[in-house]
Amino acid sequence: MKLIKLLSAASLSIAGVSAGPSAPPAASTRPQLSITIRDGNFTDFDGLEPTITWENSQQLPNEVDFRYGIDLSARTTNLASLPRRIWGRASRRFAADRYSLSTRLDMDVQRMDRVDFQIDAADEDNDLKLTMFGSAAASLKRFATSPRVSHVEFTKGFDNDGNRITINPRYNVNYDHMDVVMTYDADDTLITVTASKDDQEVTISQQLNDDNMLSPTISRDGSLSLAWDRKLGDHNSVRTTLNPNRSVEVEWKDEAWTANVNFPMEEDSMKGATVHIKRDVRF
């Protein structure tokens, strides 16, 4: 398959060597089953979009970590449309783990003329990270000459008397849009400022106690939102976000289960709720 060949090339490029002995077999993993209920349709199976996500990993020669996976539609009876997306990521650390580099390739199986890529690089000593997103033609002959970067960002971190500051400039090439995200983390308070030429917003997250955190957000245009995070113990939590006159969003994590509910707000009513449910399942 085209993507497997491209992933192999990317893996060997990170390793910097030609193919060596075969790698040991990968450890078995568990797939993940996701079910989305669209448009608040709870009455029949037409509103259900179940998908199965499976991933695995193995160690390649020269200490290259390789992860790969596939998303499958669990609803269709057409074998040709069963696979939705396949992906793989090759990662390696250098210089006593100071530097790291990883490449991810992602292909829509129903549209195999393009491969999306993500490149991450980090310098741990200088607290600096780089991330790039883009796409290229799904052809070995054109892959090296046709890549197009669509998004690039840097993150620089600083420590200040036990508090942490990060600066994260971002640039979206497709929309010619640039902004910067700045954070200040001081004990129980996290301040996040996102600023661009056209808009600015500030989020102040305050940890009230071990189980509760409130995060109000205000934008330049005066719009407000309020998020409430509550821990329920044993890896369980609920996050509720109120966007006045727009929506109410609830994310509920209960061990292996995760449920996301979105209630659009139109005037004084809530219609067209969307529910997304997923959990890890063992086979």
Side-chain angles (χ1 to χ4, degrees):
M1 296 176 66
K2 295 180 181 179
L3 183 59
I4 294 177
K5 293 180 180 179
L6 294 172
L7 289 171
S8 299
S11 302
L12 296 178
S13 174
I14 291 179
V17 296
S18 60
S22 60
S28 61
T29 58
R30 56 184 178 179
Q32 183 183 83
L33 175 64
S34 299
I35 299 176
T36 299
I37 303 175
R38 300 171 304 172
D39 303 325
N41 188 342
F42 301 91
T43 59
D44 54 40
F45 287 102
D46 289 339
L48 299 180
E49 286 188 343
T51 59
I52 296 176
T53 300
W54 176 85
E55 66 178 62
N56 210 342
S57 64
Q58 64 184 110
Q59 188 81 22
L60 297 182
N62 291 278
E63 299 182 346
V64 175
D65 293 321
F66 184 52
R67 300 187 64 85
Y68 50 93
I70 184 170
D71 295 341
L72 302 171
S73 172
R75 183 169 180 250
T76 181
T77 57
N78 183 354
L79 293 180
S81 62
L82 181 64
R84 290 186 173 181
R85 184 170 294 276
I86 53 177
W87 62 270
R89 178 189 288 273
S91 308
R92 188 185 178 191
R93 304 186 73 88
F94 306 87
D97 291 342
R98 173 179 176 178
Y99 303 106
S100 63
L101 176 66
S102 72
T103 301
R104 172 178 169 132
L105 301 182
D106 199 302
M107 177 182 284
D108 184 342
V109 179
Q110 306 304 319
R111 184 186 174 186
M112 300 186 69
D113 60 337
R114 190 185 79 176
V115 175
D116 297 321
F117 64 82
Q118 176 182 342
I119 299 174
D120 296 282
D123 178 352
E124 298 293 339
D125 285 5
N126 290 311
D127 205 346
L128 182 65
K129 296 180 181 179
L130 163 69
T131 299
M132 286 192 300
F133 296 92
S135 61
S139 167
L140 288 175
K141 293 182 179 179
R142 297 179 55 198
F143 183 75
T145 59
S146 66
R148 173 182 172 81
V149 174
S150 59
H151 179 93
V152 61
E153 63 179 78
F154 294 87
T155 303
K156 172 63 178 176
F158 305 90
D159 290 325
N160 180 26
D161 293 333
N163 303 323
R164 180 165 175 78
I165 301 171
T166 64
I167 300 176
N168 173 212
R170 308 180 296 189
Y171 179 58
N172 188 308
V173 179
N174 292 338
Y175 295 96
D176 190 23
H177 180 266
M178 179 180 292
D179 66 3
V180 59
V181 180
M182 296 169 286
T183 67
Y184 180 75
D185 191 350
D187 295 328
D188 294 334
T189 303
L190 174 63
I191 301 174
T192 303
V193 179
T194 303
S196 67
K197 179 177 64 176
D198 302 316
D199 193 18
Q200 299 84 41
E201 70 173 29
V202 179
T203 300
I204 302 176
S205 301
Q206 182 64 47
Q207 191 76 42
L208 304 179
N209 50 45
D210 292 340
D211 297 328
N212 294 277
M213 180 171 68
L214 288 179
S215 303
T217 298
I218 184 171
S219 299
R220 176 185 177 183
D221 61 4
S223 61
L224 298 169
S225 68
L226 177 64
W228 174 28
D229 293 275
R230 178 169 175 78
K231 295 180 181 178
L232 304 177
D234 297 329
H235 308 289
N236 303 331
S237 63
V238 174
R239 179 180 177 89
T240 305
T241 304
L242 171 63
N243 302 295
N245 301 319
R246 289 176 291 166
S247 65
V248 176
E249 302 169 8
V250 179
E251 181 180 71
W252 180 16
K253 295 183 178 180
D254 187 355
E255 295 184 349
W257 288 94
T258 300
N260 294 89
V261 185
N262 181 282
F263 298 95
M265 299 176 64
E266 298 179 2
E267 296 180 354
D268 295 329
S269 65
M270 293 185 181
K271 298 180 179 179
T274 299
V275 180
H276 179 267
I277 303 171
K278 69 178 181 180
R279 72 159 291 151
D280 293 332
V281 293
R282 293 183 181 273
F283 287 84

